[in-house]
Amino acid sequence: MSVIRTFTVTVVSTGSGNKYFIDGVQQKTLNLIEGKTYEFDQSDSSNSSHPFRFSTTSNGTHSGGSEYTTGVTTNGTPGSAGAYTRITVASSAPTLYYYCTNHSGMGGQANTLDASIMRAYDVTVVSTDSGNKYVINGVQQDTVNLAEGATY
């Protein structure tokens, strides 16, 4: 099991309470590809007392849902070095929602995409000393190979 992408998770106190920030974006909507493994790094001290989990219900157990555990492993204590939640997205996985087990309203949505039908790329722009650069799936100026007839 090789991790395709690691997301950095931090917790920020906003005007409407604590929220998860994924790679610096508040309650970022994620696109996770079936069969791929993703790690959510919770080593930042802001994660202390904020366990990151998945559910098929928005806001998880706070809205009457239950924790989604298929392909999910956790390690360590949130806010400590080495802490993470890892998921290998199952085939035909439902839309997932990430949430904090201790506090309501912190999380967001994680779309699960069928890799045989669609390939999703997470594209952002970063400012460098030599100008703006595209970052594709966490890699600056990554090479993308496109196949005829595929959907991206």
Side-chain angles (χ1 to χ4, degrees), residues 18-59:
N18 286 338
K19 305 294 180 192
Y20 279 126
F21 278 62
I22 308 294
D23 290 341
V25 177
Q26 181 178 331
Q27 296 172 296
K28 181 177 183 174
T29 298
L30 305 170
N31 291 313
L32 307 179
I33 301 170
E34 294 174 2
K36 303 297 182 183
T37 302
Y38 301 88
E39 188 169 285
F40 295 84
D41 178 355
Q42 279 203 282
S43 61
D44 187 85
S45 63
S46 66
N47 285 282
S48 181
S49 79
H50 300 293
F52 185 99
R53 299 293 185 268
F54 291 99
S55 178
T56 58
T57 304
S58 181
N59 207 24

Side-chain angles (χ1 to χ4, degrees), residues 105-128:
M106 288 182 58
Q109 184 169 321
N111 300 315
T112 58
L113 307 172
D114 182 341
S116 67
I117 298 172
M118 176 183 289
R119 288 167 183 79
Y121 292 97
D122 184 17
V123 180
T124 57
V125 177
V126 296
S127 178
T128 69

